[in-house]
Amino acid sequence: MRYCINCCIHLLPNDFHRHCFRCRGPNHNNQKCPVCRGENRIPLYTDSKQMKLLAVLEVRTDHSESWNGFFCLRKGKLCSLIFGLIIMTLVMASYVLTGAKHGLLLIPSPFHYGAFTSNPNLMDNESLSDMKDHYQPSKMNISYVKDYPSIKLIIDTITSKIEFITRQRPDLEELRKQEPHMFSVIPNKFLPNSKNPCWYEEYRGNTTTDPYATNSYALYSKRFRTIFDYLRKVFWNHLYHYKDKHYRLRCLPHFYIIGQPKCGTTDLYDRLRLHPDVRFSAIKEPHWWTRKRFGIIRLRDGFHDRYPVEDYLDLFDLAAHQIQGVLQSEVTKEHGNMNNIIIGEASASTMWDNNAWIFFYDNSTEGEPPFLIQDFIHAFQPNAKLIIMLRDPVERLYSDYLYFASANKSVEDFHEKVAESLQLFENCVLDYSLRACVYNNTLNNAMPVRLQVGLYVVYLLDWLTVFDKDQILVLRLEDHASNVKYTMHMVFQFLGLGPLSEKQEALITKSPASNTRRPEDRSLGPMLPTTKAILRDFYRPFNTKLAQVLFDDAFLWKRT
């Protein structure tokens, strides 16, 4: 057996050095090559077999009696390929067999109440064109059909525990004790010549003072720094000077779009802000009432410093500047005209998200929050207007899943997450009241999908304990998708907005839908028919109560 010392390539018998690419060249001479002449080789004998010690000090055995090196290499590659195929087949078989065991989801597991957990329930954006998507029906999966009787028992247990009990409204003094700073900043009376709730606040800084230096929205988010940079430049020009003092106009929203996520609130927001008399906060969804005032930026990051109410009011400074321009105009001063510009705020979490209460308020009400978001809003703005956009809760949940799930999205995965969430919800209602489970932070963060957001009537009844029915406008996304012009007219009338020209109305009603479903999510198609049947059973008693409260059977969603 021969080797090339220069490149350590095993030379086959009768091979005149043709495989040595490193030392063979155009001028190669076999007679002059010391390797080809048999020089510079050191014989070594081990176990009666002749060995060659190479320049790299590697000992190689001569297998001339079995395979030569060429066929060794070929067989090694073949063995590796076969071994790899076997491993891949086993892995795929294991994955298929494991995925088929859907019955494991129905094994009851105790519900544990623990620490603050993470969940991507942060930015609640909505979709309008979901209602116009049409897909071919998917084939029924037999294994999921078998799930239905077992899950139906869970739903029956939940239904048997449903009880709509009116909550006790806290008095004003209790609210003051909980949020004394907020009550010290917001007055109990507003300017009489402004339709929007505004007031003047003395500003004690000077021209070198940065009024937004400590604003948490500017500090924690790079997206909003451009807005605050502009506000800094124009801030001093919009101060009102009176008797050697400086005053800034502060405003709260006249109306709130409070919910629900994935129900078209983004589209409603985009159309409403085209109205000449409507302004919105500098950020579409501040989430201040529900999250930021408690120091929640992202749930997975835990708590930060609480955002003071001043940071929230800063978000309305752009609109306040325009309102002040109207109030200070000569026409308004001479004729006593009203300011008709109104401000809106559109955080889709306002209606339902009270998850943070357990960390800040006394838990002496058997798991139910003693104070809700609406208690504080009503304390400052008893005349506030509230707009709610709803959709079929079954379709809302699927859209919510498609939007927030980050990977491995499929109709089968959605089915499994629904089944697991129903089990967790059942475990809770067996020990606690319906309201306690709906507002339970640990449960809501443990459920893989947000079942609780679709329990519209539970939240609506709690809002009706503090606000009158004529202060709340409830719309359906299905109606909005089929007739945008009609729903926008309802909103304009509800807010008391003036008439529009044909051109202005066309701009608002004919603009494209906002926040539509992503193409990659459309390709998944509709949910499994079994999953839809399960969710219909779960939401049916809540939809029935909602239709009774609103005196409108359309909220039964029988045709969707």
Side-chain angles (χ1 to χ4, degrees), residues 322-378:
Q322 298 181 46
I323 292 176
Q324 184 181 0
V326 175
L327 294 176
Q328 298 298 321
S329 66
E330 295 298 328
V331 176
T332 302
K333 291 179 179 179
E334 290 179 6
H335 301 282
N337 294 345
M338 284 279 294
N339 161 62
N340 290 318
I341 295 178
I342 58 174
I343 304 174
E345 200 253 74
S347 297
S349 64
T350 306
M351 181 178 180
W352 63 275
D353 190 353
N354 281 274
N355 287 333
W357 75 269
I358 191 69
F359 302 100
F360 295 90
Y361 302 139
D362 180 33
N363 184 13
S364 59
T365 51
E366 298 182 352
E368 296 188 12
F371 310 104
L372 296 177
I373 302 303
Q374 52 265 41
D375 297 329
F376 293 99
I377 295 179
H378 183 270

Side-chain angles (χ1 to χ4, degrees), residues 130 262 391 395-403 517:
D130 292 354
K262 309 310 298 173
R391 74 188 288 189
E395 297 298 333
R396 192 220 70 81
L397 186 66
Y398 187 50
S399 180
D400 197 68
Y401 163 79
L402 293 177
Y403 188 85
R517 184 172 291 181

Side-chain angles (χ1 to χ4, degrees), residues 83-142:
F83 181 74
L85 290 174
I86 293 173
I87 294 297
M88 185 168 61
T89 303
L90 292 175
V91 171
M92 292 180 65
S94 174
Y95 176 79
V96 173
L97 293 174
T98 303
K101 296 179 181 179
H102 303 297
L104 292 176
L105 289 175
L106 301 177
I107 299 175
S109 59
F111 181 73
H112 300 286
Y113 297 89
F116 195 96
T117 58
S118 62
N119 195 20
N121 300 341
L122 295 179
M123 298 307 294
D124 299 310
N125 297 299
E126 301 72 29
S127 176
L128 170 66
S129 68
D130 292 354
M131 308 310 305
K132 299 180 180 179
D133 295 338
H134 299 283
Y135 305 101
Q136 294 296 324
S138 60
K139 295 181 180 180
M140 181 74 78
N141 189 313
I142 301 300

Side-chain angles (χ1 to χ4, degrees), residues 44 62 72 181 259 281 283 298 301 314-315 344 370 378 397 405 407 439 447 455 523:
L44 197 69
D62 189 351
C72 276
H181 178 69
S281 55
I283 302 166
R298 296 180 181 86
D301 296 336
D314 287 346
L315 300 180
H378 183 270
L397 186 66
Y439 293 123
M447 289 193 294
L455 306 180
S523 63

Side-chain angles (χ1 to χ4, degrees), residues 221-233:
S221 178
K222 295 181 180 179
R223 292 186 301 151
F224 308 137
R225 290 177 186 173
T226 303
I227 298 174
F228 285 105
D229 286 342
Y230 172 77
L231 288 172
R232 289 184 184 96
K233 294 178 182 178

